């Protein structure tokens, strides 16, 4: 229903037609996040849309034509998911027209200060707080951290700092990273190789 939309009365409690994301993206771009988590049934339907440029909303008697560019992302290795039977090979090749890899934050620590500043500004504006600035020591703590939660973890940390820290200048002692979790992650990285 979210992706394809539905017709009034086709689902329990559906009191009106719902326009799905595919129809909304007609003539533009649809972003499919975490396609590696999509069920095989949904994968088949998405493949059909990509091949035929049309789909059938839930409960509809006719097809809708769409012209949609699809950008998909995943944190899984889809080739491995194909070998496990969790991802359709034909859909993989259909989505993999122009592949690109964005390395995890721990492999691009030079981006940490810019991202931290961006998120601080975003959240101080959103929450109506005074602008905050990170000291050199705070940046060092952020750069030295391994970021197992990737950019989302950094974003959440900056939001927490904006909400919880009354200081305008944020130094290393105001960075609420759990050193024991960092040590556990570092040990597992040593044991299993680079992640």
């Amino acid at each position: 229903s979210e992706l394809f939309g539905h017709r009034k009365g086709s689902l329990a409690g559906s009191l009106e037609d719902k326009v799905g994301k595919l129809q909304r993206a007609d003539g533009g771009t649809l972003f499919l996040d975490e396609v590696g988590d999509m069920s095989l049934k949904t994968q088949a339907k998405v493949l059909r849309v990509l091949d035929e440029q049309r789909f059938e909303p839930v409960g509809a008697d006719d097809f809708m034509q769409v012209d949609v560019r699809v950008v998909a992302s995943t944190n899984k290795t889809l080739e491995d998911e194909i070998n496990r039977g969790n991802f359709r090979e034909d859909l993989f090749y259909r989505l993999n027209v122009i592949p690109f890899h964005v390395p995890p934050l721990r492999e691009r620590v030079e981006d940490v200060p810019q991202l931290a500043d961006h998120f601080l500004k975003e959240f101080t504006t959103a929450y109506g707080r005074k602008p905050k600035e990170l000291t050199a020591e705070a940046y060092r703590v952020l750069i030295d951290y391994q970021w197992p939660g990737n950019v989302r973890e950094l974003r959440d940390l900056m939001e927490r700092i904006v909400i919880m820290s009354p200081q305008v200048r944020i130094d290393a002692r105001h960075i609420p990273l759990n050193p024991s979790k960092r040590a556990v992650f570092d040990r597992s990285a040593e044991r299993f190789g680079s992640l």
Side-chain angles (χ1 to χ4, degrees):
S1 174
E2 278 299 311
L3 190 57
F4 301 103
H6 65 255
R7 295 293 179 250
K8 178 181 176 180
S10 62
L11 300 171
S14 61
L15 304 176
E16 56 186 39
D17 286 356
K18 177 177 179 166
V19 175
K21 295 192 184 308
L22 273 166
Q23 186 177 349
R24 288 182 194 269
D26 189 25
T29 303
L30 177 67
F31 177 59
L32 297 176
D33 194 16
E34 298 299 348
V35 292
D37 295 334
M38 205 183 303
S39 71
L40 289 169
K41 183 178 178 182
T42 304
Q43 290 176 38
K45 291 179 180 183
V46 168
L47 178 63
R48 196 162 112 211
V49 171
L50 295 175
D51 285 341
E52 299 176 5
Q53 299 275 314
R54 64 185 191 142
F55 68 96
E56 199 173 4
V58 177
D61 295 327
D62 53 344
F63 285 92
M64 298 194 72
Q65 203 70 31
V66 287
D67 179 17
V68 176
R69 177 189 312 111
V70 174
V71 175
S73 75
T74 185
N75 65 356
K76 296 182 177 181
T77 305
L78 291 182
E79 293 91 337
D80 293 343
E81 294 301 307
I82 290 167
N83 291 335
R84 291 185 192 107
N86 296 331
F87 201 83
R88 294 179 59 113
E89 188 172 16
D90 47 3
L91 179 58
F92 170 76
Y93 289 116
R94 193 69 175 86
L95 291 172
N96 202 34
V97 176
I98 303 174
F100 59 94
H101 172 74
V102 178
L105 190 56
R106 67 183 160 271
E107 292 177 16
R108 51 191 173 99
V109 294
E110 66 278 2
D111 292 346
V112 170
Q114 293 87 354
L115 287 168
D117 289 343
H118 168 76
F119 293 136
L120 275 179
K121 184 176 179 181
E122 175 185 333
F123 289 119
T124 55
T125 301
Y127 290 108
R129 303 286 172 93
K130 291 180 182 176
K132 296 185 183 293
E133 68 177 65
L134 297 167
T135 65
E137 295 80 21
Y139 283 124
R140 176 56 40 211
V141 168
L142 296 175
I143 288 169
D144 289 344
Y145 188 64
Q146 291 294 308
W147 300 107
N150 215 342
V151 176
R152 285 185 181 115
E153 183 180 7
L154 175 59
R155 183 179 190 275
D156 293 346
L157 175 66
M158 294 300 104
E159 183 176 19
R160 188 176 323 126
I161 287 170
V162 167
I163 293 169
M164 303 299 288
S165 297
Q167 302 82 4
V168 171
R169 280 182 57 83
I170 306 298
D171 62 29
R173 64 193 163 128
H174 302 122
I175 306 290
L177 291 173
N178 188 334
S180 66
K181 286 188 178 183
R182 179 179 170 195
V184 168
F185 179 79
D186 289 342
R187 280 197 299 276
S188 66
E190 287 173 14
R191 193 173 65 193
F192 297 114
S194 65
L195 299 176

